Amino acid sequence: MSPRFSGLLVSAMVFLTQFLSVTGDSNIGVCYGLNGDNLPSPTDVINLYKSSQIGNLRLYQPYPEVLEALRGSGLAVAIGPLNNDIPNLAADQNAANAWVNTNIVPYKDDVDFKWITIGNEVIPGPLASSVPGAMNNILNALATAGLQVMVTTVVSGSALGASYPPSAGAFSSDTVPTMTGVAAILAQQGAPLMANLYPYFAYASDPTHISADYALFASSTPVVIDAGLDYYNLFDAMVDAFNSALEKINFGNVNIAVAETGWPTVGNEPYTSVQNAQTYNKNLMNHVTQSGSPKKPEYIMTVFYFEMFNEDLKPSAVEQNFGFFYPTMQPVYPFW
């Protein structure tokens, strides 16, 4: 090996090491909400993502000041329009073009847009029927701009008519037409369906039937055995309920990504606590970076934690206290 080639190889290895140290686990991200009146500047927030080795960021609407701060950061970004904009994006290709030309194109050379989310928990609901049309129009606008970004939507468990056991997972009858249209668009792109999954809420609402160990990834034996698959934790059962629902509309090839999951530290004791939040989030990290769900064990999902900061303008104490960090940028508990 020539000295020059050896030097180039070493330089490349150093660059790769530095890149990986900045981005951390490539399938892990954190949601960046701005429902607070005391949050740090976007530049400080993006630097905190980088110093914490968080590689993916989810943004709920296109804040120009955040997009500016993301330039050159190397973070992979999920972003979407406001829910109320969806009908207009579905009805008018020019509106979709304008959204892409305003919020994506000016930043395309410096920001790594990986996902565009059309709707956050709007299926089922009055906006649901507009989602497939808006997805298609945004895809057309991206193509016109010469860009390739995955376009998806974000659903919650309310899109399911059945979820237990996981193999019985099925979309509710009123969501099947919309979800079939969405899934067809996702399959064409090779894009995942995004879901907000919260074992915390299921456990806190029914602790008699759902154990803390099952919710917190702490069970050493299967809690649910279903269709020959062992479920040690509620998170996997929630994921596979969606996988089963997709199979039932003949789109089992569409994968799941998790757009939100987390555990609050305050507001509903004894279920909320620093210890429970730290346990859930750490055990989730260990699980999803190493394996998929029982139905798709080889598929490593993208997972976004909810959320970066405690946000004081949220409506309840629980909602205000999902953050990894206080607005001072001090950690709520050691994690990153």
Side-chain angles (χ1 to χ4, degrees):
M1 181 183 296
S2 72
R4 180 174 180 274
F5 181 78
S6 177
L8 288 171
L9 183 60
V10 169
S11 296
M13 292 176 67
V14 168
F15 172 80
L16 181 60
T17 300
Q18 291 173 338
F19 175 78
L20 291 174
S21 71
V22 169
T23 58
D25 291 298
S26 62
N27 66 315
I28 299 298
V30 178
C31 300
Y32 175 17
L34 284 89
N35 289 314
D37 58 12
N38 55 358
L39 297 175
S41 72
T43 298
D44 287 342
V45 172
I46 301 311
N47 286 334
L48 183 58
Y49 270 77
K50 292 165 66 176
S51 64
S52 302
Q53 300 183 24
I54 301 166
N56 301 333
L57 177 151
R58 182 183 174 203
L59 198 59
Y60 290 88
Q61 66 185 81
Y63 296 96
E65 64 273 23
V66 177
L67 293 172
E68 287 293 337
L70 281 164
R71 289 188 188 272
S73 67
L75 300 178
V77 176
I79 190 172
L82 292 168
N83 286 345
N84 289 338
D85 291 340
I86 294 172
N88 194 35
L89 296 173
D92 185 356
Q93 182 64 59
N94 289 329
N97 294 346
W99 192 90
V100 167
N101 287 332
T102 300
N103 300 302
I104 304 297
V105 171
Y107 309 95
K108 65 182 177 62
D109 295 330
D110 306 302
V111 178
D112 179 14
F113 295 108
K114 193 166 182 181
W115 309 268
I116 293 177
T117 54
I118 305 299
N120 185 55
E121 299 188 356
V122 300
I123 304 171
L127 302 177
S129 62
S130 295
V131 171
M135 290 175 67
N136 271 325
N137 283 350
I138 290 292
L139 280 167
N140 292 338
L142 290 166
T144 299
L147 299 173
Q148 283 192 313
V149 183
M150 286 187 285
V151 177
T152 182
T153 190
V154 180
V155 295
S156 71
S158 64
L160 298 176
S163 60
Y164 182 84
S167 63
F171 293 113
S172 59
S173 58
D174 58 329
T175 66
V176 165
T178 296
M179 289 309 307
T180 302
V182 165
I185 298 167
L186 296 175
Q188 289 169 359
Q189 302 172 74
L193 173 66
M194 287 191 163
N196 295 337
L197 304 179
Y198 285 98
Y200 160 75
F201 286 112
Y203 163 57
S205 67
D206 191 12
T208 302
H209 297 103
I210 297 173
S211 71
D213 283 352
Y214 190 48
L216 293 168
F217 295 86
S219 177
S220 59
T221 58
V223 176
V224 173
I225 300 174
D226 173 42
L229 300 174
D230 293 343
Y231 289 88
Y232 291 79
N233 63 79
L234 181 53
F235 175 87
D236 275 349
M238 289 178 161
V239 170
D240 276 353
F242 274 100
N243 280 325
S244 295
L246 286 164
E247 287 179 353
K248 289 181 176 66
I249 59 169
N250 299 314
F251 283 102
N253 58 323
V254 172
N255 291 312
I256 298 297
V258 179
E260 290 179 13
T261 191
W263 199 285
T265 53
V266 175
N268 187 24
E269 291 72 14
Y271 313 111
T272 57
S273 68
V274 165
Q275 181 178 353
N276 282 351
Q278 189 174 32
T279 298
Y280 175 79
N281 287 330
K282 181 58 69 176
N283 288 344
L284 174 70
M285 173 84 78
N286 291 339
H287 179 60
V288 299
T289 56
Q290 295 175 31
S291 63
S293 68
K295 281 185 75 71
K296 293 188 175 183
E298 303 303 317
Y299 178 70
I300 302 297
M301 291 174 287
T302 295
V303 173
F304 285 93
Y305 281 108
F306 187 84
E307 60 182 333
M308 198 63 169
F309 296 101
N310 285 345
E311 299 177 39
D312 65 350
L313 298 182
K314 291 287 186 68
S316 70
V318 166
E319 292 288 337
Q320 291 173 11
N321 287 280
F322 273 87
F324 286 110
F325 295 93
Y326 295 107
T328 60
M329 298 199 295
Q330 294 301 306
V332 177
Y333 49 87
F335 191 80
W336 301 101

